[in-house]
Amino acid sequence: MKQHAPSPIDPTRQDAADEAAFSEFVRGQDAVQLQAALWAAQRSAGLNAADEALFQTWMMARPVHAEAYAEMERSFRQVRRMPRETVALLKAGLRDSGSKSTRERIANVASPERRGWLSGVGRLVPQAAMAMAVLATVGGGWLGWGHWRAQPVHDELYVTQRGQRMSVDLPDGSRLQLDAATRMEALLYRDRREVRLVDGQVMFNVHSDAERPFDVLAGHTRVTVVGTRFSVRHAQTGVDAGKTVVQVESGRVRVAQMGSMSAAVELGPGMAVTADEQGRLERTVSVAPNSVGAWRAGRVSFSDTPLSQALAEFERYGETRLMVRDPAVAAMRVGGSFDLREVGTFAQALPLMLPVKLKKLDAATEIVPVR
């Protein structure tokens, strides 16, 4: 039988296959563990002063980062003591972690004292498997520098409860003020900065850095800045529920629907724009610069706002014990500026603004129409 020599391996195709295998592996891994492994691999190869500073920033951001890094360093030492043949088979195991033959071959070449750990390689024991995978990819050139640099150096979730506010100083020098009932994730990369506003509103004072643009993602809206002071609201309840509202106090920002820059608008001081639930922009309007982020002073302004939304806005800061059951009353429009801490004053003003009266119940006050 005529035998054919094996076809030469295309290095480019092999690198692509290896990188795809690694990407598949890390998809289900813990993000902190992965980042710790990437830092450990790159530090073993040597970091420049700038990247070492970023590493120290990442380490100090959260206690779990330092713990994960120390654990990964121990796993790296374990992997480095393995024979080359074992590491090669482990790499093969990444491509076919479910293969029984691969697991058996790994167990056969391993020394007796290592078989206990290696016998589970088909299931990829978390820390050691992660260390091996990252060493193989970063050290071997599959993954490359680009993927490592694409990992955030700071990733933190910030949450405030009803009635609570929070000031956040990011490692890049930016300062953020979170309003009540707000949920936000901040991610800092080596070449860009990103905040994902899930719910609530935030006042931004962005540290200017032309080399690292700052983006705020809220719903289907993207706000891009370099250095400025502005507020972004994307709340699921209260005024403009579901929409995104951007107001600029100083500097300039660009606002666009996610995935499209064709309809982007630029806002300067005293300008504002609202985007609907799909990120489509409405017309820009003028606002007083000193009114941007009025919630920081404990105030809220309503302008032709449905009463139901106004009440929901007060509920973001505390229990109002005000209720509306009549749809016609809920749709009535209110306007004016009010102290968020004085919901009682707001309630007492309603009969002066609308054809309604207050009806006392056991545990609440109902707003009812005047008959």
Side-chain angles (χ1 to χ4, degrees):
M1 180 181 294
K2 185 176 180 180
Q3 294 185 343
H4 297 276
S7 301
I9 297 175
D10 182 344
T12 302
R13 292 181 60 187
Q14 185 63 63
D15 284 350
D18 288 342
E19 184 167 345
F22 180 77
S23 296
E24 180 66 25
F25 164 71
V26 301
R27 190 169 293 128
Q29 304 302 315
D30 179 82
V32 173
Q33 293 285 348
L34 174 60
Q35 186 63 58
L38 290 167
W39 277 120
Q42 290 301 333
R43 290 193 85 215
S44 68
L47 294 178
N48 60 31
D51 285 326
E52 178 64 25
L54 289 173
F55 165 71
Q56 295 300 334
T57 297
W58 178 81
M59 285 280 282
M60 292 184 293
R62 297 170 61 190
V64 69
H65 290 179
E67 295 169 6
Y69 182 79
E71 191 173 3
M72 201 58 65
E73 275 288 293
R74 290 192 292 271
S75 297
F76 268 44
R77 289 193 292 271
Q78 184 179 14
V79 171
R80 289 191 181 98
R81 291 195 294 267
M82 294 179 184
R84 284 186 180 179
E85 185 178 3
T86 302
V87 174
L89 289 171
L90 287 172
K91 290 169 66 175
L94 277 178
R95 301 188 193 98
D96 186 15
S97 61
S99 168
K100 180 180 178 182
S101 61
T102 298
R103 292 198 301 272
E104 289 175 344
R105 289 168 59 208
I106 289 171
N108 288 338
V109 300
S111 60
E113 62 271 18
R114 291 181 183 146
R115 285 179 186 167
W117 179 77
L118 291 171
S119 62
V121 73
R123 296 183 298 274
L124 294 175
V125 177
Q127 287 74 31
M130 180 76 77
M132 179 280 300
V134 172
L135 277 176
T137 54
V138 178
W142 307 354
L143 186 62
W145 183 254
H147 185 98
W148 176 74
R149 290 189 67 84
Q151 303 303 313
V153 296
H154 176 85
D155 183 352
E156 191 78 31
L157 178 67
Y158 302 94
V159 179
T160 57
Q161 305 302 321
R162 185 169 74 171
Q164 177 191 13
R165 295 196 183 114
M166 178 190 298
S167 293
V168 173
D169 292 314
L170 296 181
D172 72 327
S174 298
R175 180 162 194 151
L176 282 53
Q177 292 175 273
L178 281 66
D179 192 18
T182 294
R183 186 179 184 88
M184 176 201 84
E185 183 180 16
L187 300 101
L188 303 184
Y189 298 86
R190 293 162 182 80
D191 58 353
R192 61 190 174 89
R193 299 166 289 173
E194 183 176 290
V195 166
R196 299 171 184 172
L197 179 56
V198 180
D199 194 9
Q201 55 187 346
V202 180
M203 184 73 189
F204 295 85
N205 187 354
V206 177
H207 176 70
S208 180
D209 186 346
E211 301 300 319
R212 300 173 72 198
F214 194 109
D215 286 320
V216 180
L217 311 182
H220 292 279
T221 306
R222 178 187 295 271
V223 184
T224 303
V225 303
V226 173
T228 187
R229 287 174 57 83
F230 65 104
S231 73
V232 179
R233 177 188 175 96
H234 180 74
Q236 305 306 314
T237 60
V239 179
D240 295 316
K243 296 184 177 183
T244 301
V245 182
V246 182
Q247 298 180 327
V248 179
E249 181 178 286
S250 63
R252 302 192 71 81
V253 304
R254 184 172 65 250
V255 185
Q257 184 179 25
M258 201 81 75
S260 172
M261 296 302 292
S262 58
V265 298
E266 287 207 7
L267 303 179
M271 298 177 67
V273 70
T274 298
D276 67 13
E277 291 85 346
Q278 302 305 315
R280 295 183 290 261
L281 303 181
E282 301 174 2
R283 64 182 181 86
T284 59
V285 297
S286 297
V287 296
N290 59 6
S291 72
V292 175
W295 49 266
R296 292 174 294 163
R299 299 201 66 80
V300 62
S301 294
F302 301 125
S303 177
D304 198 32
T305 302
L307 178 59
S308 59
Q309 286 192 11
L311 293 177
E313 187 67 16
F314 275 104
E315 285 286 346
R316 290 169 49 81
Y317 301 91
E319 187 177 12
T320 65
R321 297 188 179 181
L322 295 173
M323 60 182 295
V324 176
R325 287 187 281 202
D326 188 321
V329 174
M332 291 181 180
R333 305 282 170 152
V334 298
S337 177
F338 301 91
D339 190 323
L340 285 166
R341 296 156 296 193
E342 297 293 340
V343 65
T345 300
F346 171 74
Q348 293 300 321
L350 287 176
L352 304 177
M353 297 186 292
L354 304 172
V356 298
K357 62 182 180 180
L358 305 181
K359 180 181 178 181
K360 295 290 185 180
L361 304 176
D362 289 341
T365 298
E366 184 179 3
I367 305 170
V368 299
V370 175
R371 301 295 184 186

